Amino acid sequence: MAAAIATTWGIGKEQDLPWKIPVDSEYLEQITSKAYYNDTAATKTISNDRPWHNAVIMGRLSWESIPMKNGPMPNRFNIVISRNPSYKMAPYPHTSLATSVHEALEQANTLMKETQGRVFVLGGGQIYEQAMDLCTHVLLTRIHDPKEKVVCDSFMPPVNISLFAQASHQELEAFVQQPVPKGKQICDELEYEFLLYVRRSSSSDDVVIVDQDKKENL
Ligand SMILES: NC(=O)c1ccc[n+]([C@@H]2O[C@H](COP(=O)([O-])OP(=O)(O)OC[C@H]3O[C@@H](n4cnc5c(N)ncnc54)[C@H](OP(=O)(O)O)[C@@H]3O)[C@@H](O)[C@H]2O)c1
């Protein structure tokens, strides 16, 4: 799961993001679009020529908030969740409709058998709430807004720290397989920070520490 959250755990306002943080948008695009590598023989065959490596899952309202002049989120397989099985998405390539969170995850897992990629749940509030029990990792961009000036009308449930442990910055970089700005960053009047939470019951193998030499080759 990946989300940008305000101090109040707010995530959206009037079907849009309540903030503009270009570095965060680039980070989300990078980590959800890239090919991931691990040490299994299967992933050594990953081709960089694929049109997508990973699947992104989102609720119908979040889907409709994407500026469609460029179509769906590029370089990713987009799965949209709606209770309406006849919901019409324009005939975009690499998109599909699911009528429940479980169906979306099933579709994504089937696709990932082909690419060895990752599945990212990208919101919004309704979908975060339902997927929280199912996800292994929560990538957060925590926006520090101590005066709670950022007004939101949609929220995600707080990450339960008895179920998820905060990873170190090194573990975050190993997980996303790229350097990540460390500590508080500044954008206009907002401070923000990139964080990772890992489900405590997850196998410790899920967070693979990549040694520095290997990381430079990723
Ligand atoms: N800060 C962030 O990282 C972030 C990320 C994503 C989105 N957002 C923001 O979040 C807000 C949107 O969130 P939201 O909670 O209003 O909407 P949402 O979660 O994006 O979508 C809700 C829709 O998903 C479908 N849905 C929900 N549960 C379902 C289920 N169990 N089975 C089938 N379909 C289901 C329904 O579609 P139908 O009505 O078609 O049945 C529902 O109306 C926007 O402001 C957006 O900008 C923020």
Side-chain angles (χ1 to χ4, degrees):
M1 186 180 279
I5 51 143
T7 309
T8 57
W9 293 87
I11 58 161
K13 175 143 189 289
E14 293 168 0
Q15 296 309 322
D16 202 353
L17 294 179
W19 45 72
K20 284 219 178 340
I21 305 180
V23 174
D24 180 50
S25 305
E26 283 161 30
Y27 172 72
L28 185 74
E29 182 172 346
Q30 285 169 3
I31 63 171
T32 57
S33 302
K34 66 193 281 177
Y36 284 91
Y37 297 89
N38 63 37
D39 290 330
T40 66
T43 54
K44 293 201 171 111
T45 61
I46 287 174
S47 159
N48 272 322
D49 300 335
R50 292 193 55 87
W52 53 269
H53 299 284
N54 308 307
V56 291
I57 295 176
M58 70 200 88
R60 194 260 306 167
L61 293 174
S62 294
W63 163 259
E64 289 181 357
S65 75
I66 301 175
M68 277 297 163
K69 66 180 188 313
N70 297 320
M73 290 187 168
N75 309 317
R76 288 150 282 187
F77 194 101
N78 290 229
I79 302 175
V80 179
I81 306 177
S82 168
R83 290 190 177 84
N84 175 5
S86 311
Y87 179 68
K88 289 276 172 281
M89 305 182 325
Y92 294 115
H94 320 311
T95 57
S96 68
L97 178 69
T99 54
S100 68
V101 173
H102 278 97
E103 189 193 328
L105 288 169
E106 265 178 30
Q107 286 186 19
N109 287 332
T110 303
L111 290 163
M112 291 313 105
K113 285 185 187 144
E114 195 185 319
T115 65
Q116 308 292 321
R118 291 188 183 176
V119 178
F120 293 89
V121 175
L122 297 189
Q126 292 182 38
I127 301 303
Y128 286 140
E129 187 166 2
Q130 297 171 68
M132 184 65 94
D133 285 346
L134 305 169
C135 72
T136 56
H137 298 77
V138 184
L139 286 154
L140 285 185
T141 303
R142 183 185 289 281
I143 293 158
H144 294 267
D145 171 33
K147 294 188 180 155
E148 298 188 7
K149 280 188 178 165
V150 177
V151 178
C152 297
D153 59 17
S154 50
F155 298 83
M156 79 179 280
V159 173
N160 181 342
I161 55 165
S162 64
L163 298 177
F164 289 88
Q166 186 177 337
S168 68
H169 189 76
Q170 189 192 12
E171 288 168 329
L172 165 60
E173 290 190 327
F175 181 64
V176 298
Q177 299 183 359
Q178 66 178 50
V180 178
K182 186 174 181 182
K184 286 189 183 162
Q185 310 295 308
I186 295 179
C187 177
D188 298 329
E189 294 184 344
L190 294 174
E191 288 185 345
Y192 62 98
E193 191 171 8
F194 297 111
L195 301 173
L196 169 66
Y197 286 82
V198 183
R199 184 175 290 281
R200 290 184 188 275
S201 57
S202 296
S203 153
S204 56
D205 291 345
D206 283 352
V207 174
V208 181
I209 306 296
V210 180
D211 70 43
Q212 201 55 40
D213 291 340
K214 270 190 188 163
K215 206 158 81 180
E216 280 166 12
N217 290 329
L218 290 171

